[in-house]
Amino acid sequence: MVANANSIAVRRNIDVFVIPETTKGALVVPAAGNYIIPVGMPELNQTPSYTESDEIQNSRDTLDRFQDRMSAGTWSMSVYCRPSGTAGTAPMEKTLLLSHYGAETVSASTSVTYSQAIEKPSFSIWVRIDHTMRFCAGATVSDLKISPSTKGALQFDFSGGFMTSGVVGTQDLSAAIVALDTTFTPDDASCYSVGGLVEFYDVSADTVDDNSGAGYAITGVNTTTNVVTTSAIASAFDVDDMVRPFLPTGTKVGTPIENRKATTQINSISTNVRKFDISVNDPCAYQDDEMTTSGAVEDYVPDRRKIDGTISLVMRKNDAKYFVDNLDDGALVPLTLVVGDAAGSIVTITMPQSALDVPSTVDSAPTVGLDMPFTSLGNAGEDSMTITFT
């Protein structure tokens, strides 16, 4: 299908891929199994800052400003938790969980557990929004929010930072391509970044050359000559044929878990709750203040994590104990959230040592509610929370 000139992006036409990196910040191209189905719009932003000139000139205007070295970018993405449906096989969001927690343990045909580690691995993100694609490298997860309820599906809200980013647009060709050319000339070369992947669309024949399903990697962009360099292009194309973003066809994994299948335990006792909000802040400090030859952020250091949240419940007769027990600062209790009831599609979130605050009463007419904030702590270290799929 041929897009209208300067067409508007359509929200429903979004593809997301998340791929583990071997080396921090080294962009990795996507494969079918790296596909992620987002909930709502994923965001990926990296905006330069500027410093205004301090030169003294006979004007009240600011006459100049200087672009600062590019700081780390930010991204956010929400997904429904999608277990594979097979015990011992990782869920759709495996790469995001691995980056957030640091360790993945697979027990064949039994379970996949994400547990905490000192180091946090990085990943690459590719987001195609209709006719335009954004990609980034050196991404990590800093925050995870989980808020199950009695409706909908279990949702994970991820966000974090990344090192570098680029763009791939859709443009008509302004010069013909001869088979095996290693460059192409679009209407505007500034719509493309090194590292991006493209395919070529023959408008009259309605055919696509996507380099046998691998895409063509961009290795150079010259905005002065308007020429983009890539690997040898297999087919010939005419002026006004199109060059556009390439991504593989993603493979869907699993099925979202419904929130109605959630159960909770407080101090190993099954407890009915209205809300179980969990917030995991496990940040990476990107080294924005280093002067680098690349002009970009090249490293990050994992910082101290913090896990807290709030449990809300209807106030029952036996709940008076929380006003007494929670006064004891040394009273640490396990908290557990289990969602799902079918083998291969069960997720268990465990916080073995959680300090519950004294609850606050809440008017929830015709009943009275209790809100209990909590903080989850480690014991030996790197053991304050796990997520297990069984």
Side-chain angles (χ1 to χ4, degrees):
M1 180 180 294
V2 181
N4 294 325
N6 209 23
S7 59
I8 296 172
V10 178
R11 183 178 183 272
R12 67 177 178 272
N13 193 12
I14 295 178
D15 292 304
V16 180
F17 289 76
V18 176
I19 312 96
E21 294 176 349
T22 302
T23 303
K24 290 180 183 179
L27 184 70
V28 182
V29 300
N34 305 127
Y35 183 57
I36 292 281
I37 302 174
V39 174
M41 277 288 296
E43 294 187 5
L44 193 160
N45 297 297
Q46 189 171 35
T47 305
S49 61
Y50 297 86
T51 300
E52 294 182 351
S53 173
D54 286 332
E55 289 182 327
I56 299 174
Q57 300 189 53
N58 189 21
S59 173
R60 291 194 301 111
D61 284 332
T62 299
L63 300 180
D64 202 358
R65 69 172 185 169
F66 313 108
Q67 182 175 332
D68 302 330
R69 210 246 16 229
M70 186 69 78
S71 297
T74 59
W75 66 272
S76 62
M77 184 189 315
S78 295
V79 300
Y80 289 140
C81 179
R82 293 178 69 103
S84 66
T86 302
T89 301
M92 175 191 74
E93 60 275 17
K94 57 185 181 295
T95 301
L96 297 170
L97 291 173
L98 175 58
S99 174
H100 195 33
Y101 286 90
E104 178 189 67
T105 302
V106 178
S107 297
S109 304
T110 303
S111 65
V112 180
T113 299
Y114 296 91
S115 55
Q116 295 159 336
I118 292 290
E119 297 300 326
K120 290 163 62 77
S122 62
F123 55 92
S124 301
I125 306 175
W126 299 73
V127 179
R128 179 170 56 192
I129 305 174
D130 201 358
H131 47 58
T132 302
M133 181 160 68
R134 295 278 287 151
F135 61 90
C136 72
T140 58
V141 179
S142 290
D143 289 281
L144 169 61
K145 297 185 184 302
I146 306 170
S147 301
S149 65
T150 57
K151 299 179 180 179
L154 180 63
Q155 182 170 314
F156 290 164
D157 300 322
F158 295 98
S159 60
F162 61 82
M163 296 180 185
T164 59
S165 64
V167 65
V168 178
T170 296
Q171 291 284 291
D172 292 343
L173 294 171
S174 62
I177 294 174
V178 176
L180 301 184
D181 275 353
T182 57
T183 62
F184 65 89
T185 306
D187 287 345
D188 186 355
S190 64
C191 291
Y192 302 89
S193 298
V194 171
L197 296 172
V198 297
E199 64 182 21
F200 297 90
Y201 175 61
D202 187 318
V203 174
S204 59
D206 191 25
T207 56
V208 173
D209 180 356
D210 61 4
N211 195 19
S212 301
Y216 291 94
I218 295 173
T219 56
V221 177
N222 190 323
T223 55
T224 301
T225 61
N226 214 42
V227 171
V228 179
T229 304
T230 185
S231 54
I233 302 165
S235 309
F237 293 91
D238 296 326
V239 172
D240 291 336
D241 283 340
M242 296 170 61
V243 55
R244 62 194 188 189
F246 168 81
L247 283 176
T249 300
T251 301
K252 291 183 180 180
V253 174
T255 303
I257 311 177
E258 295 174 318
N259 277 325
R260 67 185 178 88
K261 298 178 180 180
T263 60
T264 60
Q265 291 184 2
I266 301 176
N267 200 14
S268 303
I269 299 172
S270 182
T271 306
N272 293 340
V273 304
R274 284 178 162 174
K275 183 171 64 173
F276 196 146
D277 291 343
I278 303 170
S279 177
V280 187
N281 176 238
D282 195 345
C284 283
Y286 283 83
Q287 302 304 293
D288 288 322
D289 55 355
E290 283 190 325
M291 290 181 283
T292 61
T293 56
S294 66
V297 179
E298 294 183 353
D299 211 345
Y300 60 79
V301 177
D303 207 346
R304 177 175 290 187
R305 68 176 65 89
K306 179 178 176 59
I307 303 174
D308 56 18
T310 301
I311 297 173
S312 297
L313 38 81
V314 177
M315 186 176 182
R316 298 177 185 272
K317 181 177 62 177
N318 293 339
D319 293 339
K321 62 185 178 183
Y322 294 123
F323 291 91
V324 177
D325 292 347
N326 295 4
L327 278 174
D328 184 357
D329 289 337
L332 298 176
V333 301
L335 299 177
T336 304
L337 170 68
V338 180
V339 187
D341 56 10
S345 296
I346 301 171
V347 58
T348 302
I349 298 171
T350 305
M351 292 166 281
Q353 293 200 125
S354 298
L356 296 174
D357 291 352
V358 173
S360 301
T361 54
V362 178
D363 186 351
S364 58
T367 65
V368 176
L370 293 179
D371 281 353
M372 284 193 301
F374 67 86
T375 300
S376 292
L377 307 177
N379 182 19
E382 283 55 65
D383 55 5
S384 53
M385 181 179 180
T386 58
I387 297 184
T388 301
F389 293 79
T390 53

